Each structure stands twice: as C-alpha cells, then as structure tokens.
Amino acid sequence: MKLGRLNHVGVATPSIEKSIAFYRDVMGAEVIREPFDLPAQGVKVCFVDTPNSQIELIEPLGESSPIAGFLAKNPDGGQHHICYEVPDIHAAKTWFEGKGARVLGEPRIGAHGTLIFFVHPRDMGGVLTEIMETPRPGASH
Ligand code: CO
C-alpha cells in the first residue's frame, strides 16, 4: 500500500454548534459545511474546510454513540482520529490485516459517501486511523 492523501482530521465535540462558532470566530474558517446526521456511525458530522484538508467535527448521535466514551474521558472534546485516502478500500483492508493491524468491522459508508473502515489505535502508534476510499469526482460532500 502507498500512503494516500490526508482527507480529514476527526475532532470530537460535545456541541457542533459551539465548535462551528470556534472555527469561524477564532480560527477564521471561511467554508463550514452544513451539519448532517450519520445514524449508521452514531454521530452528527460537520466538515470545516481548510485550504488543503478538512476538519470533521463529530458530535454524539444517540445514547450508544461510539464517541460517547471518548467524550466522557474528554468532556471538552478533542482530536479523535485521522483519515487517509486509499484507491481501493478492500485491498487496504487486506493489507492492514496482513500487517497484523486490527481492522474494526467491515467497510461501510462514511461521511463522504464512500467506503471507510477504522484501524485500532494500538496497532497504529496510538492514532485511531480511518481509511477511506477516495471520492470520485462529482460525489457529494
Ligand atoms: Co472521519
């Protein structure tokens, strides 16, 4: 596998609304996308564009949200994961598994509408890592 483009940095927050105000007023972000629910992942999502990448704000959606535990430990929110693109999600899954890294679940549709999976932080130098198939031109988000 060849390391692909950094697609986004995932930042957990207890309030997307407050985080939007922060990125707009303190960080000077000029392009902040419309927030949307991603029920399959148990999160509400909002993308903040930077000139070369995006910040993915994630807020818990529902009681059993996978980021509820993270926010219990980090009540003000914090950096949650990093997402890299790959050309072929299934080839990437086979690659990581071949390296002994724990892939968390099967590839599923992520916030950009393409297939993603996560790799366990213990096998990734402490960084929860999202692997995402590169969106095709013209895809949404
Ligand atoms: Co993400």
Side-chain angles (χ1 to χ4, degrees):
M1 198 189 80
K2 209 169 116 184
L3 183 62
R5 180 177 175 271
L6 174 66
N7 183 278
H8 64 264
V9 176
V11 174
T13 172
S15 166
I16 278 183
E17 196 188 330
K18 283 184 187 158
S19 292
I20 286 174
F22 170 78
Y23 278 91
R24 185 189 58 220
D25 301 337
V26 178
M27 299 302 288
E30 292 179 331
V31 180
I32 298 175
R33 311 277 173 166
E34 197 61 35
F36 60 98
D37 292 351
L38 197 60
Q41 309 276 357
V43 289
K44 183 176 177 181
V45 178
C46 175
F47 284 105
V48 177
D49 287 12
T50 75
N52 65 338
S53 191
Q54 286 183 312
I55 304 298
E56 179 189 42
L57 299 171
I58 46 177
E59 179 188 305
L61 183 70
E63 309 259 311
S64 58
S65 174
I67 64 166
F70 181 90
L71 283 170
K73 278 183 238 156
N74 307 274
D76 295 331
Q79 198 226 297
H80 181 262
H81 66 270
I82 288 183
C83 177
Y84 299 101
E85 293 180 15
V86 295
D88 181 331
I89 197 79
H90 299 289
K93 180 170 182 276
T94 302
W95 170 269
F96 280 110
E97 287 171 343
K99 296 290 177 189
R102 279 163 285 185
V103 170
L104 305 171
E106 289 302 310
R108 53 201 178 274
I109 296 291
H112 286 86
T114 68
L115 288 168
I116 64 107
F117 61 78
F118 284 90
V119 189
H120 201 293
R122 285 206 191 105
D123 300 325
M124 299 297 282
V127 180
L128 176 60
T129 302
E130 180 179 0
I131 301 296
M132 167 185 154
E133 198 159 272
T134 302
R136 285 168 187 78
S140 59
H141 306 302

Short mmCIF file of all heavy atoms in Angstrom, two decimals, residues 8 10 56 81 83 118 130, ligand 1:
data_model
loop_
_atom_site.label_atom_id
_atom_site.label_comp_id
_atom_site.label_asym_id
_atom_site.label_seq_id
_atom_site.Cartn_x
_atom_site.Cartn_y
_atom_site.Cartn_z
N HIS A 8 -9.04 14.06 6.20
CA HIS A 8 -9.51 14.94 7.28
C HIS A 8 -8.98 14.50 8.63
O HIS A 8 -8.47 13.39 8.79
CB HIS A 8 -11.05 14.98 7.32
CG HIS A 8 -11.72 13.68 7.64
ND1 HIS A 8 -12.21 12.82 6.68
CD2 HIS A 8 -11.97 13.06 8.83
CE1 HIS A 8 -12.75 11.76 7.26
NE2 HIS A 8 -12.61 11.87 8.57
N GLY A 10 -10.44 14.08 12.42
CA GLY A 10 -11.69 13.99 13.16
C GLY A 10 -11.54 14.59 14.54
O GLY A 10 -10.61 14.24 15.28
N GLU A 56 -13.21 17.29 10.54
CA GLU A 56 -14.52 16.64 10.66
C GLU A 56 -14.97 16.75 12.11
O GLU A 56 -14.43 16.05 12.99
CB GLU A 56 -14.42 15.16 10.25
CG GLU A 56 -15.74 14.42 10.38
CD GLU A 56 -15.60 12.91 10.19
OE1 GLU A 56 -14.63 12.33 10.72
OE2 GLU A 56 -16.45 12.32 9.51
N HIS A 81 -9.58 11.16 15.50
CA HIS A 81 -8.98 10.25 14.52
C HIS A 81 -8.40 11.05 13.35
O HIS A 81 -8.65 12.24 13.21
CB HIS A 81 -10.00 9.23 14.01
CG HIS A 81 -11.14 9.81 13.22
ND1 HIS A 81 -12.31 10.23 13.79
CD2 HIS A 81 -11.28 10.05 11.89
CE1 HIS A 81 -13.13 10.68 12.85
NE2 HIS A 81 -12.52 10.59 11.68
N CYS A 83 -7.83 10.63 9.04
CA CYS A 83 -8.35 9.86 7.91
C CYS A 83 -7.48 10.03 6.66
O CYS A 83 -7.24 11.15 6.21
CB CYS A 83 -9.77 10.29 7.59
SG CYS A 83 -10.47 9.44 6.15
N PHE A 118 -12.10 1.70 10.18
CA PHE A 118 -11.16 2.22 11.17
C PHE A 118 -10.17 1.12 11.54
O PHE A 118 -10.49 -0.06 11.49
CB PHE A 118 -11.91 2.68 12.42
CG PHE A 118 -12.63 4.00 12.24
CD1 PHE A 118 -13.94 4.04 11.78
CD2 PHE A 118 -11.99 5.20 12.53
CE1 PHE A 118 -14.60 5.25 11.60
CE2 PHE A 118 -12.63 6.41 12.36
CZ PHE A 118 -13.94 6.44 11.89
N GLU A 130 -8.70 6.25 10.31
CA GLU A 130 -9.78 5.96 9.36
C GLU A 130 -9.17 5.85 7.98
O GLU A 130 -8.37 6.70 7.57
CB GLU A 130 -10.82 7.10 9.40
CG GLU A 130 -11.99 6.89 8.46
CD GLU A 130 -13.01 8.03 8.53
OE1 GLU A 130 -12.80 8.98 9.31
OE2 GLU A 130 -14.01 7.96 7.79
CO CO B 1 -13.65 10.68 9.89
#
